[in-house]
């Protein structure tokens, strides 16, 4: 399975995928390219250190959004990948790309969808809202990307206890360490081994 990983930040989810492939917990899979909208994203450094092609394509470099959309899609197409993984990628994907790669784009979101998700819910804001609401359990979700925001079929979820002393930073770290870095590589492995089927917008996992 050839994958493109799209990133905007520190790349700890990317690193988890790199490490799982290296320790061949995920077989027959390679990260073909890492693409960021931020040239200083540490995720690009992680890619280079792992000898993975690293590209920066930023909306800021284009006069009109349509040109960015076309450049992003053209670049991804050029790598001929089977799966696109959004790992902390903060740019809205072009419709044309979601259609072309239907059910071949997955995203990791740091909450138990459908709670605490949708436009505006990303990064620390998610965890701030979790603490404000006083929920006892949060977690992370890997889902297929469709035209909506955080609305595609759910592949995997993992719960994380919310501590009474947790700050948004502590909670974000717990959700990443205990959930995100676990279920994102696992979702990729399931897809690589063809264990995923979608029926009426629900994901069926073939567990043998
Ligand atoms: C984090 O907020 C994580 O919860 C979300 O994307 C952000 C950056 O993650 N998935 P990463 O360290 O760049 O993978």
């Amino acid at each position: 399975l050839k994958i493109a990983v799209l990133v905007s930040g520190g790349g700890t989810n990317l690193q988890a995928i790199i490490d799982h492939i290296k320790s061949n917990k995920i077989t027959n899979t390679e990260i073909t390219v890492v693409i960021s909208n931020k040239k200083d994203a540490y995720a690009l450094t992680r890619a280079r250190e792992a000898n993975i092609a690293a590209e920066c394509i930023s909306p800021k470099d284009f006069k009109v959004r349509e040109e960015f959309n076309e450049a992003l899609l053209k670049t991804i197409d050029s790598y001929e990948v089977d799966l696109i993984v959004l790992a902390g990628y903060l740019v809205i994907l072009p419709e044309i790309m979601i259609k072309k790669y239907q059910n071949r784009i997955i995203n990791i979101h740091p909450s138990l969808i459908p709670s605490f998700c949708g436009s505006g819910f990303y990064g620390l804001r998610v965890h701030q809202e979790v603490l404000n609401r006083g929920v006892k359990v949060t977690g992370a979700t890997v889902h297929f990307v469709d035209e909506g925001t955080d609305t595609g079929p759910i592949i995997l979820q993992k719960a994380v206890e919310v501590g009474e002393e947790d700050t948004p930073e502590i909670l974000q770290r717990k959700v990443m360490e205990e959930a995100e870095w676990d279920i994102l590589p696992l979702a990729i492995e399931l897809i690589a081994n063809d264990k995923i089927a979608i029926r009426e917008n629900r994901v069926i996992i073939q567990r043998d």
Side-chain angles (χ1 to χ4, degrees):
L1 189 79
K2 294 176 64 178
I3 61 180
V5 183
L6 275 50
V7 295
S8 298
T12 63
N13 279 285
L14 166 68
Q15 194 63 55
I17 302 167
I18 291 170
D19 296 346
H20 268 71
I21 290 174
K22 214 182 284 176
S23 60
N24 74 21
K25 285 190 199 133
I26 311 181
T27 52
N28 64 19
T29 295
E30 68 157 33
I31 300 173
T32 310
V33 61
V34 173
I35 300 173
S36 180
N37 58 311
K38 297 244 185 293
K39 69 171 110 4
D40 56 350
Y42 190 67
L44 290 177
T45 304
R46 293 181 191 271
R48 292 188 187 104
E49 282 174 359
N51 297 316
I52 297 169
E55 307 233 14
C56 176
I57 305 176
S58 165
K60 294 197 185 73
D61 297 338
F62 298 86
K63 279 191 295 301
V64 294
R65 188 49 175 257
E66 205 35 52
E67 285 174 17
F68 163 77
N69 291 347
E70 281 160 20
L72 180 63
L73 185 51
K74 193 159 152 283
T75 301
I76 289 179
D77 285 348
S78 73
Y79 282 93
E80 296 180 324
V81 298
D82 305 299
L83 180 71
I84 297 168
V85 178
L86 308 184
Y89 189 62
L90 297 177
V91 175
I92 304 296
L93 292 187
E95 286 277 318
I96 180 175
M97 185 171 134
I98 295 171
K99 284 200 175 24
K100 182 163 189 178
Y101 286 88
Q102 196 184 24
N103 293 333
R104 292 197 294 155
I105 306 174
I106 64 174
N107 181 47
I108 175 91
H109 179 76
S111 79
L112 295 177
I113 288 176
S115 298
F116 306 104
C117 69
S119 59
F121 275 95
Y122 57 88
L124 274 182
R125 163 94 195 281
V126 173
H127 307 289
Q128 186 60 62
E129 295 298 322
V130 161
L131 293 167
N132 292 349
R133 183 65 187 84
V135 297
K136 303 303 177 189
V137 174
T138 186
T141 302
V142 181
H143 62 94
F144 284 108
V145 172
D146 64 8
E147 286 69 19
T149 304
D150 303 327
T151 52
I154 290 171
I155 303 170
L156 291 173
Q157 294 188 301
K158 187 165 183 185
V160 172
E161 306 256 322
V162 181
E164 288 170 358
E165 309 299 315
D166 280 357
T167 63
E169 291 76 9
I170 289 172
L171 192 50
Q172 177 174 54
R173 199 78 200 160
K174 270 167 52 174
V175 169
M176 290 164 95
E177 285 171 358
E178 297 173 20
E180 294 181 42
W181 300 345
D182 201 21
I183 61 176
L184 186 55
L186 179 53
I188 292 168
E189 183 179 355
L190 290 169
I191 292 169
N193 297 330
D194 207 17
K195 302 285 186 196
I196 298 283
I198 301 181
R199 231 165 281 152
E200 290 115 42
N201 214 35
R202 285 179 24 251
V203 171
I204 312 294
I205 296 176
Q206 181 200 331
R207 298 206 197 254
D208 33 40

